Amino acid sequence: MAEREDIELFVQGEGIRDIVLIKAKKGGAVRDILVAAREAGLSVVEGVVLWIEDEESPIDLDAPIASTQIRHLGRVHLHRCRKVAVNVTFNGVQKAETFPPATTMKRVKRWAVGPKGFNMSDVDAAEHVLQLTGSAERPDEDIHIGTLVTGSQCSVSFDLVPKVRVEG
Amino acid sequence: MDIAETVLRAHLDAGPFLSGVDRGRWRLLVMTWPHAIIAVSAAERPGAPCEYAFRFECTGYPQTPPTAQPWSESADAPLPPDRWPGGRSRVPLAFNPGWKSGQCLYLPCDRHAIEGHDPWRTQHPSLIWSPQRDITQYLQVIYELLNSSDYSGLRSS
């Protein structure tokens, strides 16, 4: 349990494969969250900025935490990419969009199956899932898109695939 | 303490599991090694509970996959078949009380279910247990099923 002057934050980001819970000083600056993340053993590269989950713009690193929307058990993301280019392929057709790196897979999928994506019915949408191109990995809906960026390109590619019955 | 128990307890206190707790997706009810009873939230359906409890048997965790069965927290016993989750296609196959006497779920990530089902490793690679991950990979599979359009409520309804 965090002490009164601490807050706990769920952190994701560049080079961080899991959701990690860290403690940070409530009275510090946003930049101190990066320090806390490093102290927790996370790889935090130079030049990262911090987003609140599903927000469009990063937070000023010099701002006091108390002046931001960062709250106890909030969800933040650390990444150098300001935007992530997402490509989704379904039945040989490709759709593209850009998202802030702190965007959840839940929101990315909502776009992919929605009117600006492949415009699926609710039933069809529920029975499809985003799978990383060239892999069997189907990131959970809580994962931030920035977490899936590899290499120097700020991009991620998916296939939209059906959920199949387990039988046999 | 058994190393497997140490690892499981660490995973139950780590970001991926606690993130799911914070989202209301699952919660730990009881931990009595080698068992962990975890409730997983389900979509709202008429006459059906808002969550189902599962007893995970975790011997050898995480090198050995866990196995899970629907559990009655109040009776501290296996959940009666008519109280199991039901659905149209994927759900009744996964939650099948008639398979192996209801002692596990029919899922590739389950220790007992994967036995004799080697083709699943190529047919369902995203559902195969990975010792590099944690118990949330199994919980995510259950949560997805219980919150899918396939899930219709209690098996008996």
Side-chain angles (χ1 to χ4, degrees), chain A residues 28-160:
Chain A
V30 174
R31 189 180 301 281
D32 295 330
I33 295 172
L34 275 55
V35 176
R38 287 194 182 99
E39 288 174 353
L42 301 183
S43 169
V44 180
V45 297
E46 289 300 319
V48 300
V49 287
L50 185 145
W51 277 263
I52 295 175
E53 182 175 275
D54 281 336
E55 291 291 327
E56 288 294 320
S57 303
I59 302 288
D60 177 4
L61 292 178
D62 294 320
I65 291 174
S67 72
T68 71
Q69 294 301 310
I70 297 171
R71 298 287 181 264
H72 178 57
L73 295 179
R75 292 161 187 271
V76 299
H77 189 93
L78 311 175
H79 216 291
R80 287 176 295 181
C81 295
R82 267 42 177 190
K83 292 283 184 182
V84 176
V86 174
N87 294 289
V88 178
T89 302
F90 177 64
N91 282 345
V93 178
Q94 192 174 78
K95 302 276 185 179
E97 184 58 277
T98 58
F99 296 93
T103 307
T104 57
M105 283 298 300
K106 187 174 189 175
R107 276 188 68 176
V108 174
K109 187 195 167 185
R110 195 181 303 151
W111 159 77
V113 299
K116 293 180 179 175
F118 294 99
N119 201 25
M120 290 180 160
S121 69
D122 289 347
V123 171
D124 283 346
E127 292 304 312
H128 286 74
V129 62
L130 290 171
Q131 177 170 296
L132 282 168
T133 301
S135 106
E137 190 177 346
R138 298 173 178 183
D140 185 63
E141 65 183 28
D142 271 353
I143 295 298
H144 294 165
I145 192 73
T147 304
L148 305 170
V149 169
T150 55
S152 57
Q153 301 282 326
C154 295
S155 63
V156 184
S157 295
F158 297 98
D159 296 310
L160 187 59

Side-chain angles (χ1 to χ4, degrees), chain A residues 10 18-21 53 73 75 104 122-123 126-127 131 136-138 140-142 144 163-168, chain B residues 15-16 18-19 22-23 25 89-90 93 106-108 117 120 123-127 134 140 143-144 148-150:
Chain A
F10 291 105
D18 278 325
I19 299 172
V20 179
L21 191 62
E53 182 175 275
L73 295 179
R75 292 161 187 271
T104 57
D122 289 347
V123 171
E127 292 304 312
Q131 177 170 296
E137 190 177 346
R138 298 173 178 183
D140 185 63
E141 65 183 28
D142 271 353
H144 294 165
K163 299 171 183 173
V164 296
R165 292 154 49 106
V166 174
E167 53 191 341
Chain B
L18 295 177
S19 171
D22 181 62
R23 294 277 202 215
R25 298 170 75 183
S89 177
R90 296 188 296 120
L93 283 167
Y106 195 68
L107 291 170
H117 286 110
W120 282 357
Q123 293 167 356
H124 306 287
S126 67
L127 300 178
D134 61 73
Q140 286 166 5
Y143 179 83
E144 189 281 320
S148 67
S149 58
D150 195 287

Side-chain angles (χ1 to χ4, degrees), chain B residues 4-17:
Chain B
E5 179 180 359
T6 303
V7 175
L8 178 61
R9 287 187 184 277
H11 285 172
L12 293 173
D13 200 32
F17 184 82

